[in-house]
Amino acid sequence: MSEHIDIDHELITIRHYLHAHPERSFREFGTSIYLTDQLKAHGIEILHNPLETGVVGLIQGEAGPGPRIGLRADIDGLPIVEDSGLEFSSVNEGVMHGCGHDLHMTGLLGAAFWLAEHRDKFAGSIKILFQPSEETGQGARAMIDAGLVDDVEAIIGTHMAAGQLAIGVEPMMAGCVKFRVTLHAQGTHAGYPYKGTGPIEALASIILSLQTIVSRNVTPFHPLVLSVTEVHGGHVWNVVPAEAGFQGTVRYFHKSDGNLVGRRFKEVVEHTAEAYGISADVVWDDFQDPLVSDPGLAKAVAADVNDYAQLEPIRQSMAGEDFCEFAKVTLPVFAFVGSNGQEGCADWHSPHFVGLDESIPTFVNFYVDTALRVLNELK
């Protein structure tokens, strides 16, 4: 099924423009106009999109009737001041494509251009989905709720990473939890602590105890991270506060682990608070599932990879990806595409992050080859 696609200067120019003009989540107005213009220039039909940003195109195959699939790329930038040293660095102060979305978009555009020129090679149809607001974890769900993937039998996505190309049946990106704990106590004068039930000691005990959940409850063969990232309590040096709290995140690759940690988390917080004579409110927002490709389609796609790239083992990422939302309504196929995995290079979300133009051909070939393979598998 593999097609070897050469990349011309047009895509390099597109990538540099997109990198230089990032926009925040759900504010990708200029980006959406630019993507629309690029698709129209290559004869690709633009479908109605009820969202304020994002773009949906359609390429109808000429080899007969068949299934409809989707190719997706995320389009939003991050609230970061870029310090990458690139000649085409962001011109939008305080916003940066620090997670490779400019490369995702460019790869999908290149694939769309090729597919539009070779409609005779496939039956069925392909939706081109440029998704807003991946960084907030809300964009995929917005597209689903808008009905934009109701007619899609499978959807294909990418994220840049190290190596060349990785796809398989294992979990690829982590499920994500946001948690917040608020402790309620009886405040008092700092010179008379026995007259109150201050929350500070309980807060410290809870945070230390939470770290045993991973080490004493989850198998060491399942990666899982629990991180407290913000702590607050009190404003005055001589007052024991009546309230304190903290927030953070849990990342996991197996849903059963996420459920277990959620149960133990609440037990530790509530029982420790009770031991200190105070109460606790727990907000546990398990808002994003682990990202896992459909096993059958992943195996079929992986069989073609070595024709155009080096197939790598999956290196799981503790970062989340809202592409996982699509798995609730259709068959997901997801790959890591390598771009600048050199030792010592800056990672995603860093102001020094640099993705490489040299990765564009792999993105394009993956989208094209996977689209043709999946259409064939779904016949």
Side-chain angles (χ1 to χ4, degrees), residues 58 66-72 125-129 144 148-157 167 292-298 300-301 323 325-334 366-367 370-379:
L58 180 66
R68 175 168 292 181
I69 65 170
L71 305 182
R72 170 267 200 183
S125 58
I126 301 171
K127 270 190 171 180
I128 306 300
L129 300 160
I144 293 168
L148 296 174
V149 295
D150 285 353
D151 56 350
V152 168
E153 296 185 37
I155 189 166
I156 298 156
I167 184 170
V292 188
S293 292
D294 174 78
L297 293 180
V301 170
F323 189 86
E325 290 293 314
F326 294 117
K328 299 175 182 178
V329 296
T330 191
L331 300 177
V333 181
F334 199 81
F366 172 78
Y367 274 122
T370 304
L372 298 178
R373 169 61 69 182
V374 170
L375 284 170
N376 187 63
E377 292 290 323
L378 294 176
K379 282 183 182 177

Side-chain angles (χ1 to χ4, degrees), residues 26-43:
F26 284 132
R27 302 177 191 171
E28 312 97 333
F29 301 107
T31 302
S32 298
I33 292 171
Y34 182 82
L35 293 169
T36 298
D37 290 343
Q38 292 296 322
L39 293 176
K40 286 182 175 179
H42 285 263

Side-chain angles (χ1 to χ4, degrees), residues 35-107:
L35 293 169
T36 298
D37 290 343
Q38 292 296 322
L39 293 176
K40 286 182 175 179
H42 285 263
I44 297 170
E45 178 185 359
I46 304 299
L47 301 183
H48 173 66
N49 173 20
L51 304 179
E52 291 187 353
T53 57
V55 181
V56 183
L58 180 66
I59 304 172
Q60 187 70 50
E62 296 176 348
R68 175 168 292 181
I69 65 170
L71 305 182
R72 170 267 200 183
D74 37 15
I75 69 174
D76 52 332
L78 288 157
I80 297 173
V81 177
E82 182 167 0
D83 187 20
S84 66
L86 293 172
E87 293 182 359
F88 49 94
S89 291
S90 173
V91 299
N92 295 337
E93 183 65 27
V95 189
M96 176 190 178
H97 272 306
C99 204
H101 294 189
D102 52 324
L103 287 165
H104 304 170
M105 288 185 280
T106 304

Side-chain angles (χ1 to χ4, degrees), residues 253-269:
F253 290 110
H254 299 272
K255 194 65 178 179
S256 59
D257 292 342
N259 294 336
L260 169 63
V261 173
R263 184 175 68 253
R264 289 291 296 127
F265 185 98
K266 293 169 187 175
E267 290 172 351
V268 168
V269 171

